[in-house]
Amino acid sequence: MEFGITTFAENTPDPATGNLLPPQQRMMNLLEEIELADQVGLDVFAVGEHHRPDYIVSSPAIVLAAAAVKTKNIKLSSGVTVLSSDDPVRVFQDFAHVDLLSKGRAELMAGRGSFIESFPLFGNDLNDYDSLFSEKLDLLLELNKNEKVTWQGKHRPAIDNRGVYPRPYQQKLPIWVAVGGTPASVVRAATKGLPMALAIIGGMPERFAPFTKLYKETYQKAGHDAAKLQLAINSHGYIADDSQKAADEYYAPYAYVMSKLGQERGWSPMTREHYEQMREPKGSLLVGSPQQVIDKILYEHELFGNTRFLLHISVGTLPHEKVLRTIELFGTVVAPAVKKALAKSEV
């Protein structure tokens, strides 16, 4: 199993002081986080795309290009690229640049996006939410397959036998589809034979098992090689040297963001009681000591049989040194222990 980190590069107020980091400092912190993830042996680092004041990355490819020249081994992915509101030609070109700069370490995680700011910003109609993604995903896959493309669709001007350059270092860019638990999205990824990343941001992980089962069954029914199936699970989490320290340090920034989103979407504010319930052994939050996180990753693997695990750090702004400590513990303690346990179980 591969291990990686996802981030939205949030820049929210410090819950204790109300202060915001200067965007330039937050960006430098992000690059340091990616460098450390590479140094401690993690497999992938994914950066999300947003068009809101509380996140600093609207173009993951630019950040990943900077990280490409600072790292040696780690795969560099978006998490996600909001393909519905972007131009697939430019998306492909941007990630081809990252692939060239990194000598073949670029990936692309395409999604419809859980926020809607990019749709009016780039002149898209939210009524076309699903058809935009479906059509643009098809074009992106065609661009990845062929140097010259002839294509016609509803939402973008036609392409008549045009070459798209540069081509990536790899023969093809790895393109994943990110889903949040919509059956139609799961079926689309599986039918096309694409790797799927499933985000678990609340509730009990076990309730997502039917989606991963649907993915695997549809993937094989579509005639794809089961040995090539790739499935990532993405969970919110934070690791500290002991359980209570992790719980106390993570609660305030996490509750701030989740309560703010709750105001926008009609959720109840986050309470400490609810937070602690989510931290329980079968809850969705992987917040605790290294051993607690090890146990939860193994529990999720039992549920899903995933080939990749992604820890989302962080949901609200944490002190930079604490994020670095989480990355260090994840790469040097948690990931090796999970790999060892999985290897034993396969014997």
Side-chain angles (χ1 to χ4, degrees):
M1 186 160 66
E2 291 185 312
F3 296 84
I5 288 170
T6 64
T7 183
F8 291 164
E10 77 301 320
N11 195 22
T12 53
D14 183 311
T17 66
N19 294 333
L20 279 172
L21 284 175
Q24 189 272 341
Q25 183 61 59
R26 181 65 185 94
M27 192 69 77
M28 294 303 99
N29 289 353
L30 173 58
L31 288 177
E32 189 174 351
E33 292 161 13
I34 301 173
E35 286 184 84
L36 179 60
D38 182 47
Q39 292 163 7
V40 299
L42 292 172
D43 300 295
V44 59
F45 201 108
V47 179
E49 171 191 343
H50 293 89
H51 302 267
R52 296 167 55 98
D54 36 0
Y55 304 105
I56 64 161
V57 176
S58 60
S59 179
I62 291 179
V63 175
L64 298 174
V69 297
K70 288 176 165 284
T71 55
K72 296 180 179 179
N73 300 305
I74 199 164
K75 296 174 184 177
L76 301 167
S77 177
S78 57
V80 302
T81 292
V82 185
L83 188 60
S84 305
S85 58
D86 212 332
D87 181 351
V89 174
R90 289 302 284 165
V91 169
F92 178 82
Q93 291 174 324
D94 287 347
F95 279 84
H97 283 86
V98 177
D99 206 48
L100 293 170
L101 288 166
S102 65
K103 294 185 179 180
R105 292 184 284 121
E107 292 188 354
L108 170 59
M109 199 183 300
R112 294 184 299 177
S114 61
F115 294 102
I116 63 171
E117 288 82 5
S118 64
F119 287 81
L121 184 64
F122 297 112
N124 295 288
D125 189 340
L126 274 171
N127 292 320
D128 298 325
Y129 184 77
D130 190 67
S131 64
L132 279 165
F133 181 76
S134 181
E135 180 179 294
K136 292 185 177 186
L137 179 61
D138 286 344
L139 175 54
L140 181 64
L141 295 176
E142 187 68 19
L143 295 164
N144 202 29
K145 185 169 60 175
N146 297 306
E147 181 176 331
K148 289 193 173 182
V149 172
T150 296
W151 179 90
Q152 186 170 359
K154 175 183 176 183
H155 299 292
R156 187 200 184 281
I159 302 173
D160 183 14
N161 195 34
R162 295 289 182 181
V164 178
Y165 307 101
R167 305 307 295 178
Y169 183 91
Q170 302 172 81
Q171 185 176 1
K172 291 182 181 178
L173 291 171
I175 297 175
W176 292 63
V177 173
V179 304
T182 303
S185 298
V186 173
V187 169
R188 175 164 42 215
T191 302
K192 295 179 181 297
L194 296 173
M196 184 181 81
L198 176 64
I200 300 176
I201 61 172
M204 305 298 281
E206 63 185 15
R207 75 181 179 90
F208 290 89
F211 295 108
T212 57
K213 181 182 180 183
L214 175 64
Y215 173 71
K216 293 176 182 181
E217 290 177 348
T218 307
Y219 188 95
Q220 294 187 55
K221 286 179 182 177
H224 303 297
D225 184 355
K228 296 181 179 179
L229 185 148
Q230 296 183 72
L231 172 63
I233 298 297
N234 185 353
S235 297
H236 290 170
Y238 176 68
I239 311 167
D241 294 282
D242 66 71
S243 177
Q244 193 61 52
K245 182 179 181 183
D248 292 342
E249 290 176 348
Y250 195 66
Y251 173 68
Y254 182 79
Y256 172 86
V257 170
M258 297 306 286
S259 296
K260 186 173 184 292
L261 292 178
Q263 289 179 333
E264 298 177 12
R265 302 186 180 190
W267 305 338
S268 299
M270 175 62 61
T271 66
R272 185 66 187 240
E273 180 182 12
H274 184 203
Y275 171 78
E276 293 297 341
Q277 290 173 351
M278 295 172 72
R279 290 185 62 238
E280 290 179 356
K282 294 187 177 182
S284 60
L285 270 182
L286 279 70
V287 175
S289 66
Q291 188 59 54
Q292 285 176 302
V293 174
I294 291 166
D295 292 342
K296 274 205 170 181
I297 294 174
L298 290 171
Y299 167 67
E300 290 193 351
H301 186 265
E302 288 180 10
L303 289 175
F304 308 119
N306 48 306
T307 60
R308 176 181 282 188
F309 175 79
L310 302 170
L311 188 69
H312 187 86
I313 312 171
S314 57
V315 176
T317 299
L318 287 156
H320 181 49
E321 66 275 9
K322 297 186 186 301
V323 175
L324 295 178
R325 180 58 176 160
T326 290
I327 294 170
E328 180 184 9
L329 290 170
F330 187 42
T332 63
V333 179
V334 173
V338 174
K339 288 179 181 179
K340 184 177 180 180
L342 292 177
K344 284 184 179 180
S345 69
E346 293 170 0
V347 174

